[in-house]
Amino acid sequence: VSDALGEEKAWFDNHRVYSKLPPGLVGTPVLIDKLTRILFKSMRRFLPQIKKEINEKRISMQDRLDELGVGVPVEEAERVQMLWTLITDYCEMLKNTIRGKYDRKLQRYMVHVPNLGPHPVSGGSQVRGILNDFLSEYLEVAITADMSDEDIDRVICMHEGDSLPGFPSPDTFEFLASPHLQKLSIPSVECVHQISSALDLLAQRLARAVFRRFPAMAESVLGITQNIILRETDATRTIVEQQVACHVGYLFTNDPSYLIEHGSMAPMWSHQSPPSPPEEEKTEPGITEATVQTVKTRSRALYQGAQRMLHRSGNAKRNQRYSGPFITTIRKRLDAYFAITVRNVRDSVPKAIGFY
């Protein structure tokens, strides 16, 4: 190396161009000095960032090692004991979370689970929120708002059959109420699936927390839990569908308010106009008053005749045979019965979901 450096120096010194350059521009020692300065500048620039990344990685790895804890037991009995302890903790935490009970084990496990937020919502709160919102959009709905008097009258006439007019068939009530009662079936099934999805997400979160040291075991336990949730979801959906079918397919109620307010025809006439005041004692009219009275009587007769003619022509276009109070009573009964059915379904379906 020394001989090569000497030959290089002699070549640069004897060269007709490079020999005239200022010193410190050519030769291996000059190149070494320049590269050393570039290396020092790069190290001064990037070394703090490298040290920072190394420290962060070391800290994250140490945290992960702390989460994993000590080594896995070697003895078979100890391994079985640890396995049953983890499974028992998982089951108890799942039940306590659904029921809303405070569990210290849950808090200890959840400390190491990221992305849960400062105040995560428990599984029981999520389930209760879904059940509270069930059919809430039907609480203040009047099903007769879109029905006209002509529509109700036409349905009554359509189901009269050979019976006397004025005695509507029960099929009229069922025909008007059934399309709206059928709307309760789909939300009931959707509520079952929403509860199932909430429980599935809760099981995934708890499995990651409890079995974070053993990912393969977490997948196995989670698979068993999901199979149980799916099996119970199918059974619960069948029960809910049967309960809703009972409310929709058979019209019956023992609700006291309905029986009192809509169980008789008396309320239909309760809003009639009050009786007219007693008439004043009549006196014998004079000649002028008798003439005026005769003119009024003839005018009234002509007016009533014209009204009867117009009424006949109107009946040709619209054949409504039932009075306004009768149609209003039918409307009130439909709205009251739908409200009672919604209330009963909102009570029975969440109970079935919670029990089964």
Side-chain angles (χ1 to χ4, degrees), residues 10-36:
W11 186 83
F12 280 117
D13 291 341
N14 297 325
H15 196 273
R16 61 184 184 85
V17 177
Y18 294 133
S19 60
K20 298 178 180 179
L21 294 176
L25 296 178
V26 296
T28 300
V30 175
L31 179 60
I32 293 174
D33 293 339
K34 289 185 177 182
L35 294 177
T36 303

Side-chain angles (χ1 to χ4, degrees), residues 338-351:
F338 183 76
I340 293 172
T341 304
V342 170
R343 184 191 64 192
N344 294 337
V345 172
R346 291 192 78 223
D347 288 340
S348 60
V349 169
K351 288 180 181 178

Side-chain angles (χ1 to χ4, degrees), residues 191-208:
C191 181
V192 176
H193 290 292
Q194 289 177 0
I195 299 297
S196 176
S197 299
L199 294 179
D200 192 358
L201 294 176
L202 176 63
Q204 293 180 15
R205 191 177 68 177
L206 293 180
R208 290 198 304 267

Side-chain angles (χ1 to χ4, degrees), residues 59-239:
I59 293 173
S60 64
M61 291 295 102
Q62 185 63 40
D63 293 340
R64 179 57 179 166
L65 291 175
D66 294 338
E67 291 180 10
L68 296 177
V70 296
V72 180
V74 179
E75 300 294 334
E76 183 177 358
E78 295 178 355
R79 286 185 292 178
V80 172
Q81 179 64 31
M82 183 187 67
L83 175 65
W84 281 112
T85 301
L86 293 177
I87 294 177
T88 303
D89 291 344
Y90 172 75
C91 296
E92 292 296 328
M93 288 168 55
L94 185 60
K95 291 190 296 184
N96 293 335
T97 305
I98 295 175
R99 296 175 179 175
K101 294 183 179 180
Y102 178 76
D103 195 339
R104 293 184 178 180
K105 295 180 181 179
L106 176 63
Q107 302 300 324
R108 186 178 71 250
Y109 281 115
M110 286 301 177
V111 170
H112 305 289
V113 180
N115 301 327
L116 289 181
H119 302 287
V121 180
S122 65
S125 299
Q126 296 178 1
V127 172
R128 180 55 61 88
I130 296 173
L131 296 179
N132 289 338
D133 295 337
F134 174 60
L135 293 183
S136 59
E137 65 273 14
Y138 292 101
L139 290 178
E140 302 296 334
V141 173
I143 62 175
T144 59
D146 298 331
M147 302 180 188
S148 63
D149 293 347
E150 291 79 6
D151 295 335
I152 298 177
D153 181 78
R154 184 172 58 254
V155 173
I156 296 175
C157 296
M158 181 176 60
H159 291 86
E160 274 184 350
D162 58 353
S163 61
L164 290 175
F167 297 91
S169 171
D171 295 336
T172 301
F173 190 89
E174 184 175 1
F175 182 85
L176 293 172
S178 293
H180 298 278
L181 295 177
Q182 294 292 341
K183 297 178 182 178
L184 305 180
S185 301
I186 296 178
S188 301
V189 177
E190 291 179 351
C191 181
V192 176
H193 290 292
Q194 289 177 0
I195 299 297
S196 176
S197 299
L199 294 179
D200 192 358
L201 294 176
L202 176 63
Q204 293 180 15
R205 191 177 68 177
L206 293 180
R208 290 198 304 267
V210 177
F211 302 100
R212 65 184 183 278
R213 296 176 58 187
F214 311 101
M217 187 176 178
E219 293 179 0
S220 301
V221 173
L222 184 59
I224 297 174
T225 306
Q226 290 175 342
N227 291 334
I228 295 175
I229 293 175
L230 182 60
R231 183 189 64 201
E232 298 301 326
T233 299
D234 295 337
T236 305
R237 185 183 68 247
T238 302
I239 296 173

